[in-house]
Amino acid sequence: MIRHLVPIVLGLAVLGVVTGIAAVMLIFLGQDWADALFWIFAAVMIGAGLLVVTMRDIIRCGLAMIVCFGALAGIYVILGAPLIAAAQVIVYIGAISVLILFAIMLTQTKDAPSRLVFQTQAVPAAIASVIIAVVLALAIAATDWGEATERVRVATDAMSKLLFDQFVLPFEIVSVLLLAAVVGGVFLAKREPGGPS
């Protein structure tokens, strides 16, 4: 019973810490609401991401993944990219997450064994994660980001004109690639069990 509560408590702890930082930013540092909301969405996203990889019930993992995608869409809205936020909601929450949940619900077992949650590769994965985090922190610290005087907002019509005027060929190439992936997935799914592999 306690093992089931550990991921939830860990996610709530991360959410509480980052929400506390957002409250300190608002009250004591005089930051605006956009920065505080960024921290709150980041906390929700990190907490939901931890729940996705640590919970045993795979349906709850799928629901936590939807929460993670929703928080990312909120971050996109704060950063001034409403088109990308809408695409995030439509494509990832509306299509991919629902597809994953349907695939999970159509399988026989919904509760994974505990050995699949924390496999034998946990220690090398943790070491690789720490190394990647250190490399990312060093790269971020060494980069001269400059300072923007205000947030850059891109209107949806300007983004669509740019996408369908100057980048129409890459857009169509990606659509054909996605079509080929769907056809390949259907072919693999329809293949007979005793047929050629």
Side-chain angles (χ1 to χ4, degrees), residues 43-94:
V44 169
M45 189 171 69
I46 291 171
L50 286 173
L51 290 177
V52 167
V53 297
T54 56
M55 284 196 300
R56 284 190 65 208
D57 187 6
I58 198 161
I59 291 180
R60 289 185 181 156
C61 290
L63 294 174
M65 184 177 63
I66 290 174
V67 171
C68 186
F69 289 154
L72 184 60
I75 290 175
Y76 286 147
V77 169
I78 290 172
L79 293 177
L83 182 67
I84 297 175
Q88 175 80 16
V89 169
I90 292 169
V91 173
Y92 284 100
I93 295 176

Side-chain angles (χ1 to χ4, degrees), residues 138-189:
L138 291 174
I140 290 171
T143 302
D144 180 24
W145 296 98
E147 291 207 19
T149 56
E150 59 185 36
R151 283 197 170 91
V152 177
R153 306 255 181 216
V154 178
T156 306
D157 59 345
M159 178 72 79
S160 63
K161 285 179 186 173
L162 181 71
L163 183 64
F164 292 115
D165 283 345
Q166 295 181 7
F167 296 101
V168 69
L169 182 63
F171 181 79
E172 292 300 325
I173 289 172
V174 168
S175 66
V176 169
L177 181 66
L178 289 174
L179 178 66
V182 168
V183 169
V186 168
F187 174 74
L188 290 175

Side-chain angles (χ1 to χ4, degrees), residues 6 23 30 129 191:
V6 170
S129 299
R191 190 171 54 192

Side-chain angles (χ1 to χ4, degrees), residues 1-15 46-56 60 117-118:
M1 180 65 181
I2 294 177
R3 284 189 308 182
H4 298 290
L5 294 177
V6 170
I8 296 170
V9 171
L10 184 63
L12 289 175
V14 170
L15 182 64
I46 291 171
L50 286 173
L51 290 177
V52 167
V53 297
T54 56
M55 284 196 300
R56 284 190 65 208
R60 289 185 181 156
V117 177
F118 296 105

